Amino acid sequence: MARRHLIGLLLATEEDWPAAFEAVIERVGSVHWRGETHELATERITNEPFDLRYRPHYSVVIDRLSWWYDLPREWLKKVALMDDIYLLNNPFTFQAMEKHAAYCAMMRLGLKVPDTWLIPHKLPPDNPRYVPMAERYNPLFDLDEIGESVGFPLFMKPFDGGMWVGVSRITSLEELRFAYEHSGERLMHVQSSIEDFDVFTRSLSIGPQTKVMQFDPAAHGNYRYIVGERFLDPGLEAEVAAISRLVNAFFRWEFNSCEVIVKDGNAHPIDYANASPDIALASLHYYFPWAIKALVSWCVFCAATGRHMRINQNTRDYFEVGDSDLPYEEKLAGYGALADAYFQTEEFEAFCGEALPDLDEVMLEYVESPEFDGVIVSSMQAEVEPERQEEMIERSRASIAAWTADARP
């Protein structure tokens, strides 16, 4: 008898990647692994009151909502603690390990994170005890001195932010004072800027699979990913990918993006707590099929093999490497071995070879189908302003055609 696995999608407003994911899972249908047959299905999760003792029927859940809302976040914690449902991102570290903690952890591990300071709120929190406490224990500080120490230009950004909200590039003391005066109650970082860099990268990691992409943060949101190969030396590309996998394995995230700036042969991670990463067709274009295929293969692997949810981190294993006197390259190799063990990389590759041998062809057939063309049209109509819709539809069609040409044997 076949074993049935239901993959739950916890969604916000997006429609493009869920439709593609559902279609590919349906086309895969069932897989065979070590003498057993596994049937796969998907379901979109609704946000409703729930009895803490009820037992949901999902094998795997992909979370795209809990970063913004408390109810789905608490539901995820319940199913991780009580029901052994596999979640692609650990909801406990996702909530606790904001950008500040992520910087601290990766600095300890020896990554080349730019110099960063945390500065107090400009406006106090709405708490009657804060002011008398601050009068006793919060001494005045010299913002100008911090700015001069970090050096200009620099960035001021929320310690826990996302989607670049509240981020300012600052070139002078006057701009620094102005940005701080207008930061309100937000707790802010001041971080050194990597100027005149060689390459800006954004990596998308899904399980042990990582795609390193060239990225232009100054471009329009639909044009930031630059399609092309060999924009990095192979060794640097491997280092950037290793940093992304290290971050994910350390925090128990399996669906995350990582921004790394490369300058003079050095890789500087600047933003890597993005456990609800950009996977929109309007953004990824050419890289969209890779993302869907990677997401499908990892979810199927987790479901069919009964991969267990890892709630606790093994930080000590990483710190033993990071605190050692090993050279940077050897530390990266040590982190890579820990990441491969966490992601079961060898087992995953063997699973894909046996259980998903036709996934590449399934993906090709789907993105060349009228069904997927309908996804292109509907997603551009939903996400792009009317005067640019036709342009973006044709751009997406051309990008997908280029991907299929490159993907064919």
Side-chain angles (χ1 to χ4, degrees), residues 143-144 170 172-182:
L143 182 64
D144 290 4
I170 294 169
S172 67
L173 289 172
E174 292 73 21
E175 291 179 7
L176 177 61
R177 297 184 199 115
F178 180 87
Y180 183 59
E181 288 294 324
H182 291 80

Side-chain angles (χ1 to χ4, degrees), residues 36-56:
E36 288 190 304
T37 300
H38 301 267
E39 294 179 348
L40 305 161
T42 61
E43 180 178 278
R44 300 192 181 191
I45 300 169
T46 55
N47 302 300
E48 302 177 80
F50 60 90
D51 178 352
L52 271 60
R53 287 192 172 89
Y54 99 102
R55 295 191 62 83

Side-chain angles (χ1 to χ4, degrees), residues 118-394:
L118 184 71
I119 57 177
H121 311 85
K122 174 58 183 174
L123 297 179
D126 185 15
N127 184 324
R129 296 189 175 208
Y130 180 84
V131 172
M133 180 281 296
E135 289 174 346
R136 286 185 176 187
Y137 301 115
N138 289 21
L140 294 176
F141 69 97
D142 190 333
L143 182 64
D144 290 4
E145 184 178 339
I146 293 173
E148 295 286 5
S149 174
V150 173
F152 296 98
L154 56 79
F155 282 91
M156 181 180 285
K157 49 188 177 180
F159 85 109
D160 61 348
M163 301 178 68
W164 295 1
V165 174
V167 178
S168 303
R169 185 177 184 273
I170 294 169
T171 62
S172 67
L173 289 172
E174 292 73 21
E175 291 179 7
L176 177 61
R177 297 184 199 115
F178 180 87
Y180 183 59
E181 288 294 324
H182 291 80
S183 63
E185 294 184 9
R186 303 198 77 166
L187 194 60
M188 305 296 279
H189 277 143
V190 172
Q191 185 174 79
S192 176
S193 173
I194 307 296
E195 295 291 302
D196 302 319
F197 54 80
D198 300 320
V199 182
F200 193 116
T201 71
R202 178 180 278 181
S203 303
L204 178 61
S205 287
I206 302 172
Q209 307 158 101
T210 297
K211 175 65 70 176
V212 180
M213 298 166 281
Q214 189 173 4
F215 191 74
D216 181 1
H220 184 283
N222 299 142
Y223 292 88
R224 288 177 179 153
Y225 293 94
I226 301 170
V227 177
E229 302 292 334
R230 294 183 295 276
F231 54 87
L232 280 177
D233 173 271
L236 272 171
E237 183 176 358
E239 178 181 345
V240 171
I243 289 171
S244 185
R245 284 194 287 270
L246 161 61
V247 168
N248 289 3
F250 183 90
F251 291 114
R252 304 305 196 228
W253 299 337
E254 299 173 16
F255 190 15
N256 187 37
S257 64
C258 177
E259 292 178 2
V260 176
I261 292 177
V262 176
K263 180 178 180 179
D264 299 333
N266 291 301
H268 302 276
I270 62 163
D271 188 357
Y272 43 87
N274 302 297
S276 186
D278 179 10
I279 195 177
L281 175 58
S283 301
L284 292 181
H285 292 288
Y286 176 91
Y287 295 111
F288 185 79
W290 178 90
I292 298 303
K293 186 160 67 77
L295 192 58
V296 166
S297 59
W298 184 244
C299 288
V300 173
F301 169 76
C302 293
T305 63
R307 181 171 161 88
H308 292 295
M309 184 69 203
R310 272 75 162 180
I311 294 175
N312 297 323
Q313 297 172 264
N314 58 326
T315 54
R316 180 53 51 192
D317 295 339
Y318 291 87
F319 290 156
E320 286 178 358
V321 177
D323 294 344
S324 72
D325 295 327
L326 291 171
Y328 174 73
E329 293 76 13
E330 292 184 29
K331 288 183 179 181
L332 278 185
Y335 300 144
L338 289 169
D340 283 338
Y342 171 70
F343 288 120
Q344 298 176 273
T345 301
E346 288 187 8
E347 295 92 330
F348 172 70
E349 291 172 353
F351 177 86
C352 290
E354 179 179 333
L356 295 169
D358 302 322
L359 182 57
D360 288 345
E361 190 60 35
V362 168
M363 196 71 221
L364 281 165
E365 290 177 358
Y366 171 63
V367 298
E368 291 179 321
S369 70
E371 181 183 359
F372 182 70
D373 191 69
V375 172
I376 291 176
V377 172
S378 62
S379 63
M380 298 307 149
Q381 289 175 341
E383 297 182 33
V384 177
E385 53 269 30
E387 63 272 17
R388 295 180 55 244
Q389 288 175 5
E390 286 303 317
E391 170 201 344
M392 291 296 291
I393 289 169
E394 292 309 314

Side-chain angles (χ1 to χ4, degrees), residues 6-61:
L6 185 61
I7 301 171
L9 307 182
L10 187 57
L11 304 173
T13 59
E14 66 266 54
E15 183 62 35
D16 49 0
W17 78 263
F21 181 86
E22 291 162 342
V24 175
I25 287 290
E26 183 177 4
R27 288 168 182 249
V28 169
S30 62
V31 300
H32 304 282
W33 171 244
R34 293 181 176 174
E36 288 190 304
T37 300
H38 301 267
E39 294 179 348
L40 305 161
T42 61
E43 180 178 278
R44 300 192 181 191
I45 300 169
T46 55
N47 302 300
E48 302 177 80
F50 60 90
D51 178 352
L52 271 60
R53 287 192 172 89
Y54 99 102
R55 295 191 62 83
H57 45 288
Y58 304 105
S59 297
V60 175
V61 169

